[in-house]
Amino acid sequence: MALTYDDIGRIAHLARLELNPEQSERMLTRLNDFFGIVETMCAVDTQGVEPLPHPYAAIQDVALRLRDDVASEPDAREANQRSAPAVEDGLYLVPRVVE
Amino acid sequence: MSDLHDLTVAQLATKLKAREVSAVEAAHHFLARAKEHASLGAFLAQDEAVTLAQARAADARLARGDASPLLGVPVAHKDVFVTADFSTTAGSRMLQGYRSPFESTVTRKLSDSGMVCLGKLNCDEFAMGSANETSAYGQVRNPWDTTRVPGGSSGGSAAALAARLTPAATGTDTGGSIRQPSSFCNLTGIKPTYGRASRFGLIAYASSLDQAGPMARTAEDCALLLSALCGPDLDRDSTSLDVPAEDFSRALNDRLDGLRIGVPKEFISDGLAPDVRAAVDAALAELQKLGARLVEISLPRTELSIPVYYILSPAEASSNLARFDGVTFGHRAKDYTDLEDMYKKTRGEGFGDEVKRRIMTGTYVLSHGYYDAYYLQAQKVRRMIADDLQRAFQQCDVIAGPVAPTVARCIGECADDPLADYLADIYTLSASLAGLPAMSVPAGFGAHGMPVGLQLIGNYLQESKLLNVAHQLQQATDFHLRAPKGF
C-alpha cells in the first residue's frame, strides 16, 4: 500500500518534523521507493518465530540488566548546561507554553 | 622525520618505547599533516594545545618506564564518541559546537592506555549514510581518488588513515560503517561482537546494532587497539557483555592449516562487480595456499537483510533522536509560536535529509496499525537471519566474501537515488543484524586502481580468529602496505 501525501503530513507531525511542500513531495517519493523493497520481507512466513530484539539472544537468553536505583553521578549541573540553548540562574529556559 | 606517518601503530609504539621519537614529536608530525591535507575534509575538530598536553603526559609515562603497548601513539576519533576535551557533533548541524560534560568509555579507555588524541573525525550525520555525503560539515574525499567517496559512515576515519594523517582511528559500525569505508580506503577495520565494546558515550543511532571498533592499516594494529577498547562496562551500558577483556593479539601467528572458510553462494551474486570478485577470489586463493579450506555455504536470507535492517535501524533511530528537541542542548530554532512549533522547526532545521527520511520511516513503522506488519515482522526475520548464520558456523570456522559489490563510487553519483546506497550494504548487514564480529582486510585493487576489501565474519566472541586470518593474509600479501599517491 503506497503512502499518500496526507500520510507524510501525519508522520511528520508524529515525528515533530517541519517539512515544506517540496520536502514532503520528495519524502513521499523516497519512502514509497523504499517500501517497495520492504514487501519481500512482509511476505516471509514467520509463523512461530520469536522476534530477536537483542542480537545476543540468538544464542542465549538475554535479560535486561538493571542497576540499583541509587544516584551514582556527582552534581555536574554547570558542565551539563554548558551546551544548553538558554540558561538562567542554573535553570533551563524553555519557550512559554501557557499564555 | 618524514617517514613517521608510514609506520604502523606497532612500529611507532616500538620507536616510542626505545625513545627514538617522543610522543610530542609524533603529535606535532601528525598535526602538521592534518593541516597540510585539510582539503580531504577528514577532521572536524582539533585542538593543538590539548593534543600536545596529552603527548607530554605520555612522554612522562614513557620516561618512567611505563610499558603500556599504545602509550604515546596518536589516535583520532569518529565524531560520534563524546569527548570532554573536543566538541562532538555527530556530523550534524543539530549539535554544532556541542561540548560533552563527560567522556565516552571507548575514548576514555584509549586515553587511559596513553594514546594521544589528534581530534575528531568527520562522519555521516548521526552515522546514517554509506558515503560520508550526509555530514552537515561537508564531503570527505577518498585519498585514493579525491573525486570518489571514502565510504561511510566512518568516512573521516578512513580518509585520515589512508592519507596517513593518523596511525589509528575509532569508528562505529551499525550496518557496515567500519567495514565498508575500510574496504574503500585499503584499511583494516573490525566490528567486534555486539556488546564487546561499551556504547556509553556513543551518540546512538540504532542501539541494538551500533558497535564501536578500531580502524588501522594492519590486523596487528587492530588487535592492539581492540584489546585496549573492549571490556565490560556493566554499570554504564546495559547492553555491555559480561565477558572479560582479552589480548586479541594472542592468536595472530597461528597457522591456518585446516581452517574451514565458508563462502556464501549468495555473496557471489550477479550484483557483484567482476573486479571486486576477482580480488576477493585471489585473496581466498591466497588463504587456501596458507592451509585454509574453502567450503560453499548458503545464507538464503541475505537479500532480506536489507529491508530488515532499513526497518529496524530507523525505528530505533526515531526513538533515539527524539532527544534532539532544542530544549536542553543543541540547536534551537529562533522563531516559533509555541513549544510544539519550536520542536518541529528545531528538528526541521537541525536534521539533514537522510536523517529526516530515517526518522520518518521509523516513526511510520512504529505507529499504530503498522507495528506488527513492519517492526515485529522485521525482528522475526532478523532471528531467521541470525539462525542461518549459526547453521553456517556448523560447516565452517569463518565466513568470507566481499564487503561491498563495487569499489568506491564517485561523489554525488547516488544523489538522486539513496536506495542504491541501501542496496549496496547487502554483504555487511547480516553480521550486523546477528551481532557477530566482522572485519574488512585489504584484498587487492579493482577498477580505477581503487582498493577492494575481503570481509571476514566470525561467530560470537571469535574476534581473535578473524584477526589471525587477516594477519596471516597480510604476512603473505602487501596490499595493506600500499599508500595512495601524494600521501
Side-chain angles (χ1 to χ4, degrees), chain B residues 21-76:
Chain B
V21 64
S22 72
V24 168
E25 285 170 319
H28 272 300
H29 182 81
F30 284 102
L31 287 170
R33 280 189 66 79
K35 262 188 206 151
E36 187 187 344
H37 298 291
S39 61
L40 286 174
F43 276 94
L44 289 182
Q46 292 198 282
D47 186 327
E48 198 169 305
V50 169
T51 300
L52 293 177
Q54 291 183 10
R56 280 192 292 274
D59 277 332
R61 282 174 65 177
L62 283 160
R64 290 197 297 270
D66 190 330
S68 303
L70 294 167
L71 185 53
V73 177
V75 65

Side-chain angles (χ1 to χ4, degrees), chain A residues 13 15-16 18 23 26 31 34-35 41 44 46 50-52 65 80 82-85 93-95 97, chain B residues 98-101 237 240 310 326-328 332 339-340 342 344 347 353 356 361 364 377 379 382-383 460:
Chain A
H13 171 69
R16 300 296 186 267
E18 185 175 79
Q23 288 173 322
R26 210 166 53 230
L31 289 192
F34 167 68
F35 278 98
M41 182 200 79
V44 175
T46 55
E50 280 294 307
L52 181 69
R65 189 170 50 246
N80 287 331
R82 202 165 45 184
S83 292
L93 290 187
V94 297
V97 287
Chain B
Y98 174 69
R99 182 63 71 93
S100 168
D237 175 2
S240 174
Y310 281 103
V327 174
T328 49
R332 178 187 290 178
L339 190 64
E340 186 165 297
M342 189 205 78
K344 287 182 174 178
R347 290 163 63 79
D353 283 351
K356 284 181 198 164
T361 305
Y364 176 57
Q377 174 76 353
Q379 293 284 37
R382 180 184 196 177
R383 182 178 290 274
Y460 297 103

Side-chain angles (χ1 to χ4, degrees), chain B residues 61 66 68 71 105-115 228:
Chain B
R61 282 174 65 177
D66 190 330
S68 303
L71 185 53
T105 296
V106 163
T107 55
R108 182 185 51 75
K109 283 171 90 85
L110 292 180
S111 173
D112 289 350
S113 74
M115 295 197 90

